[in-house]
Amino acid sequence: MPMKRRTIILGGGAIVAGAGIAFMARSRAGEPISLQSFDWQASDFRAGGTAGINGALPEPIFRAEPQCIATLAQTLGPCHTNDVPIRSDVTEGVTGLPTRISLRLVEASICKPVEGADVEIWHADARGVYSGEAAAMCNADDAEARATGFLRGRQVSDANGVVSFLTVYPGWYPSRAVHIHLRILLGNRELLVSQLLFDDALSDLVYQGHPDYAARPVRATMNGGDTVFASGDAARFIFDFEKLDTGVLQASYTIGIAA
């Protein structure tokens, strides 16, 4: 039986894995960034978090020609915490649309995979709340969230420079577009602190139709209006994504590391 072809969405433009690549997006302040061409429904995805996901997921697909450019650097931000565990499933039972985040690290100048790097991610839950002992703005008046470490984890990149985390689709909070944070260390050297975004049309599908996000009001900030990214930069930092047959969302990105 021939292998089933998988379609990934690149910045809103659909391609079939292995085909030629074109990345197109536009940004106007406060407006969505998406040239989406998918016709999914929220009901196509699983609900309730990662519980019940059995068996191995297919290998992530990355662009045939990685970006190989130094990824935008940012500060750690007020919601970072220390002593984050190494683990592949970072949810700790938190509910939401199950999402696998796969990152490929390469040296920006020569596109060579970076093996052995310590990659950390963290992001908000479906309510827009962070876990852990962070600044009050991250989980104010939520003692349960402050006492836990959900949606935080670390992995070490393999020989292909790849790490994967099983998580849930991030929630939004005022003044920010939908995003995850990441930090990359190699030995005692910090290589990068940055953030990655999600296609605005995909976020609309999730927030307007998925049951785990139904209680949230309409979000106010799109990728084009996120103040963390300079004008025109946001389009370069949006995940490629696909819907897996298991109802899991796959989000992938190649990170260029400056030497």
Side-chain angles (χ1 to χ4, degrees):
M1 180 180 296
M3 186 187 315
K4 181 178 178 181
R5 304 179 83 193
R6 293 162 55 192
T7 300
I8 61 175
I9 310 296
L10 302 185
I15 69 162
V16 174
I21 291 176
F23 177 63
M24 299 174 61
R26 63 174 179 266
S27 171
R28 294 191 297 274
E31 293 191 4
I33 298 178
S34 175
L35 291 178
Q36 58 83 20
S37 59
F38 53 90
D39 58 358
W40 308 330
Q41 304 295 321
S43 58
D44 294 332
F45 293 97
R46 300 174 66 107
T50 60
I53 297 177
N54 299 313
L57 297 174
E59 289 297 313
I61 295 175
F62 295 93
R63 303 185 188 199
E65 297 180 5
Q67 289 93 332
C68 295
I69 56 175
T71 301
L72 185 72
Q74 301 288 351
T75 61
L76 276 176
C79 300
H80 181 261
T81 62
N82 296 318
D83 301 321
V84 175
I86 291 179
R87 56 185 179 180
S88 56
D89 188 327
V90 303
T91 59
E92 295 190 7
V94 167
T95 59
L97 187 160
T99 301
R100 183 173 64 175
I101 291 175
S102 297
L103 304 172
R104 177 175 59 177
L105 280 57
V106 299
E107 294 182 32
S109 58
I110 57 176
C111 289
K112 178 183 177 181
V114 177
E115 182 180 3
D118 187 310
V119 183
E120 177 187 353
I121 68 164
W122 65 101
H123 65 84
D125 67 7
R127 303 169 297 161
V129 173
Y130 287 88
S131 66
E133 291 289 340
M137 64 167 288
C138 306
N139 48 27
D141 302 321
D142 193 327
E144 183 177 358
R146 294 184 69 82
T148 60
F150 59 74
L151 307 182
R152 300 179 185 273
R154 296 163 41 233
Q155 286 282 298
V156 176
S157 59
D158 64 16
N160 296 314
V162 174
V163 295
S164 289
F165 299 90
L166 197 57
T167 184
V168 296
Y169 199 82
W172 65 271
Y173 51 92
S175 81
R176 289 304 315 275
V178 186
H179 65 283
I180 71 156
H181 297 262
L182 60 97
R183 184 188 192 194
I184 301 171
L185 305 175
L186 188 59
N188 294 323
R189 185 162 64 102
E190 184 176 88
L191 300 181
L192 180 72
V193 175
S194 193
Q195 301 178 31
L196 294 173
L197 303 169
F198 290 80
D199 181 284
D200 276 315
L202 177 63
S203 292
D204 286 343
L205 178 149
V206 173
Y207 297 145
Q208 294 173 13
H210 194 281
D212 290 331
Y213 304 81
R216 299 300 309 282
V218 176
R219 64 196 172 103
T221 305
M222 303 296 173
N223 289 329
D226 191 292
T227 56
V228 168
F229 293 86
S231 177
D233 276 340
R236 300 170 55 217
F237 299 97
I238 297 175
F239 279 107
D240 301 336
F241 58 96
E242 66 174 314
K243 178 176 64 64
L244 301 179
D245 289 343
T246 54
V248 173
L249 177 74
Q250 170 71 55
S252 307
Y253 193 88
T254 295
I255 297 172
I257 302 294

